[in-house]
Amino acid sequence: MMAEHDKLATVPVIELRNVGKVFRTADHTDRAVLEGVNLTLREGEIVAMLGRSGSGKSTLLRIMAGLVASDHGEVQFRAQPLQGAAEGIAMVFQSFALFPWLSVQQNVELGLEAQGVLKAERARRAEAAIDMIGLSGFNSALPRELSGGMRQRVGIARALVTEPDLLLMDEAFSALDVLTGETLRDEMIELWESGRANIRSILIVSHNIEEAVMMADRIVILSSDPGRVRAEVQVSFPRPRNRDDAHVRALIDEVYALMTSPAAMGPRVAALAAQEIGFRLPNADISQMEAILDLLLEAPFLGRADLPHLAGEAGLTDDELLPACEALQLLQLATLERGDITATALGRAYYEAEAGDRKVLFGRQLLLHVALAAHIRRELEAADDGEIGEEQVLRELEAFLKPEEAERLLTVAIAWGRYGEIYAYQYNSGMLTLPGDDAA
């Protein structure tokens, strides 16, 4: 099968030429989500796409699926302009996206039914796909009777049954536990190598760097705000790959370095951190940030660590580790460079401080380096009663961001600000207030 893949690798399946996508903010300003994206997927290759929050990965995937249209550039599928959903493109979602009232068999048949395939043929092909993905005997089961891994198998079978030229996988393994995700990933590779699935090309959107290196022939890395292709990494190792092989580990390190470099943040982001309230704060949990800093400053790391090694020691996924490390860097408690994280002198002081002093230091760094937190604090101090509604802040954020991203950003800022005790939040009323002592 590998030889056949190599032979087919010159045939484009889908091409994106100078693709761009914008959204209209609440103040009627156009803001680019994607800009100048050029990407080609060829027959016989698996491509993985990585990028930070704000890189537009999901938007780009939906453009390729024909679910949304680009605002600039063109998309060609099989040398023809892509206009709406195409029969030769199938998608597997992170959330499984099954109809709960339909059986496994009925869920898998849906794509064939939409294509007008006759009932008997639908049943035969669906049964074959269910068997191929390892769910034989569960044809009549409802989704609620299945584990998460089994539900995702149904989602994969529903995509495979149409024998698509292009299979799009949107973080398809991230909702599963580690062991189940690895098992399903390995089975997908086995299906691909065997040729039984009759897929021409696969695009995997992922936040898991090791997963990308283990599966893909090529890794595409997007920058953020707006999303652009900023790097491509060829993965030349034959599959199946050994994650402990020195060459594989070195490539994982290289991708970590690319993902955490300043260029990955895009041309606008680094400069905006201290001055624009719409700066996309990483989705980082404070307890994870503190755990990483504590681990970093203890043996065996003693202040500096290789990110993949730190992830293993901390038991965190890349989706947890990278945002927490970015937050530590934003607050100047650590620095990221070439795939390594190093604690700063301030980070060491934080590590050595008592709980109350940690909160004071955290709050001070928020006011210095997080524009949204400083903005909320200023608005509270200017308010006669020392309080403002979260809806006011959301309206301001929607001048920069989509509503759902504005809400996510405010949620992060509230959690960080409450911990740093620079403001309080009343969940019942949705009001931000000055902390008790400051209000008095």
Side-chain angles (χ1 to χ4, degrees), residues 46 92-96 133 148-149 152-153 156 167 169-189 202-208 211-212 215 317:
I46 300 175
V92 180
F93 299 89
Q94 175 186 1
S95 59
F96 316 139
I133 205 65
Q152 191 57 297
R153 287 175 188 272
I156 292 171
L167 178 63
M169 305 189 78
D170 188 8
E171 305 208 21
F173 310 118
S174 64
L176 309 175
D177 64 81
V178 174
L179 183 59
T180 302
E182 287 183 0
T183 300
L184 198 48
R185 182 188 72 199
D186 291 344
E187 290 177 7
M188 280 298 300
I189 290 297
I202 300 177
L203 177 68
I204 301 164
V205 167
S206 179
H207 61 254
N208 188 318
E211 177 180 283
M215 293 189 75
T317 66

Side-chain angles (χ1 to χ4, degrees), residues 68-343:
V68 299
S70 63
D71 294 316
H72 306 289
E74 61 178 327
V75 181
Q76 291 211 334
F77 175 62
R78 288 302 193 193
Q80 298 295 321
L82 181 64
Q83 297 176 334
E87 281 192 8
I89 301 174
M91 193 164 176
V92 180
F93 299 89
Q94 175 186 1
S95 59
F96 316 139
L98 304 179
F99 289 97
W101 59 87
L102 298 181
S103 68
V104 168
Q105 177 86 20
Q106 291 167 329
N107 267 289
V108 174
E109 286 187 21
L110 279 177
L112 296 175
E113 187 174 355
Q115 292 179 5
V117 177
L118 295 178
K119 184 176 181 180
E121 178 67 6
R122 288 203 310 265
R124 184 193 66 78
R125 288 172 60 178
E127 191 166 350
I130 291 167
D131 182 56
M132 180 169 57
I133 205 65
L135 283 177
S136 201
F138 289 90
N139 303 54
S140 61
L142 293 172
R144 66 172 180 270
E145 301 173 293
L146 307 176
S147 67
M150 294 170 77
R151 287 198 292 267
Q152 191 57 297
R153 287 175 188 272
V154 178
I156 292 171
R158 184 178 57 194
L160 296 183
V161 75
T162 62
E163 298 184 351
D165 287 343
L166 174 62
L167 178 63
L168 304 171
M169 305 189 78
D170 188 8
E171 305 208 21
F173 310 118
S174 64
L176 309 175
D177 64 81
V178 174
L179 183 59
T180 302
E182 287 183 0
T183 300
L184 198 48
R185 182 188 72 199
D186 291 344
E187 290 177 7
M188 280 298 300
I189 290 297
E190 185 180 338
L191 279 174
W192 169 259
E193 294 290 335
S194 71
R196 288 188 294 142
N198 288 323
I199 308 167
R200 298 300 183 188
S201 182
I202 300 177
L203 177 68
I204 301 164
V205 167
S206 179
H207 61 254
N208 188 318
I209 292 171
E210 183 177 290
E211 177 180 283
V213 171
M214 296 298 287
M215 293 189 75
D217 301 296
R218 181 161 51 103
I219 299 170
V220 174
I221 298 173
L222 301 183
S223 62
S224 302
D225 266 338
R228 295 188 180 98
V229 176
R230 63 164 297 262
E232 289 195 15
V233 179
Q234 297 292 329
V235 187
S236 56
F237 314 123
R239 289 181 289 258
R241 295 164 185 160
N242 179 2
R243 64 170 53 84
D244 296 321
D245 179 87
H247 298 293
V248 172
R249 299 310 308 176
L251 186 59
I252 290 172
D253 285 348
E254 178 185 340
V255 178
Y256 265 98
L258 289 168
M259 286 288 291
T260 55
S261 71
M265 298 178 74
R268 299 171 53 248
V269 176
L272 291 176
Q275 57 183 289
E276 186 179 276
I277 65 170
F279 173 75
R280 294 175 189 266
L281 299 174
N283 207 34
D285 181 85
I286 293 166
S287 63
Q288 289 175 345
M289 292 160 59
E290 291 194 335
I292 288 169
L293 192 61
D294 290 348
L295 184 61
L296 179 62
L297 283 157
E298 295 168 357
F301 300 119
L302 300 177
R304 185 180 180 90
D306 168 71
L307 283 175
H309 189 188
L310 184 66
E313 288 293 320
L316 298 176
T317 66
D318 292 335
D319 201 30
E320 297 165 329
L321 177 77
L322 292 179
C325 290
E326 289 168 21
L328 290 171
Q329 177 169 253
L330 177 64
L331 299 174
Q332 298 195 355
L333 302 177
T335 59
L336 293 170
E337 186 177 9
R338 297 180 181 177
D340 290 347
I341 182 170
T342 304

